[in-house]
Amino acid sequence: MKTFIASALMLLAPAFVMAQTPAQPAAKPAAKATANATTKAPAKAKTAKAEPPSSRTQLRSATGQVAAGIMAAEAALSPAELAIAERVHVGRIACELGAYVTLKADPASPGHFDVEGKGFKYRMAPVATSTGAVRLEDQKGGAVWLQIANKSMLMDQKRGQRLADECMSPEQNLVAESLKKNPPPSVFEPLPVAKK
């Protein structure tokens, strides 16, 4: 990423130099062609030369191209991250205390999601985890969406607090009900011994 930014700045250098050089004077307007009835051949109109774009226009264009390149580099996701994005539950998801979180996939930028709720809006992308949980992050906003089999939560890492907890999509609700009926064995209970 550092090399990309460095190369982007190198691309901007000519635009900065051009911005500091004085602009060429504008071309004079073309003389109007006048047809003289007494003249056998009509006067030829001079064609005006196109004005070169100003240095500010060139600078804006160059910075826009660099910014677009940086955004494209940030938006590019690895195959592993795209695989994580396929597992994200989207739609309006009910959370505890009557709260809702809405996750929408961005069709223009595969793997990216808009996460909204009461008082917040984030743009998130998947991040690989060692546990296999689905994790989406908004690095600028400092928010994290964690999704496991039976629930999800949204955390504000900057403030160190949960914005939404016990969020369950319909799929997660089914898993939660199944776990209530057939709870997994406790890690504190001894394992059953096989009879001989």
Side-chain angles (χ1 to χ4, degrees):
M1 186 66 181
K2 288 180 182 177
T3 57
F4 179 77
I5 292 173
S7 61
L9 289 175
M10 292 180 78
L11 287 172
L12 276 178
F16 286 122
V17 171
M18 289 173 48
Q20 294 179 358
T21 58
Q24 295 178 352
K28 293 182 182 179
K32 293 183 180 179
T34 56
N36 191 346
T38 59
T39 312
K40 293 181 183 176
K44 291 185 181 180
K46 291 184 181 178
T47 57
K49 292 183 180 178
E51 250 184 72
S54 71
S55 57
R56 285 186 180 183
T57 305
Q58 290 172 344
L59 182 60
R60 277 192 214 121
S61 174
T63 55
Q65 290 171 358
V66 170
I70 291 171
M71 290 187 334
E74 289 176 352
L77 298 176
S78 70
E81 290 167 332
L82 289 172
I84 293 168
E86 291 177 6
R87 298 177 17 220
V88 174
H89 298 289
V90 293
R92 186 173 177 181
I93 299 174
C95 304
E96 71 177 353
L97 305 174
Y100 283 91
V101 174
T102 303
L103 279 87
K104 295 179 187 173
D106 183 353
S109 185
H112 290 82
F113 299 86
D114 294 318
V115 180
E116 298 180 43
K118 187 175 181 181
F120 59 84
K121 182 176 182 177
Y122 298 106
R123 175 129 171 103
M124 298 189 155
V127 176
T129 64
S130 59
T131 62
V134 172
R135 179 182 176 108
L136 301 177
E137 284 187 13
D138 179 341
Q139 292 182 350
K140 290 179 185 175
V144 175
W145 174 258
L146 290 175
Q147 174 187 305
I148 58 175
N150 61 330
K151 63 182 176 179
S152 298
M153 73 172 130
L154 180 66
M155 297 184 302
D156 183 337
Q157 288 188 316
K158 288 183 178 179
R159 294 186 202 144
Q161 66 185 28
R162 292 182 188 181
L163 299 175
D165 201 6
E166 297 289 328
C167 304
M168 287 189 223
S169 67
E171 297 90 349
Q172 290 172 311
N173 205 358
L174 290 173
V175 172
E177 290 300 318
S178 174
L179 288 174
K180 285 179 186 175
K181 293 176 185 174
N182 302 311
S186 172
V187 293
F188 298 111
E189 292 178 13
L191 294 173
V193 178
K195 293 182 181 179
K196 294 183 181 180

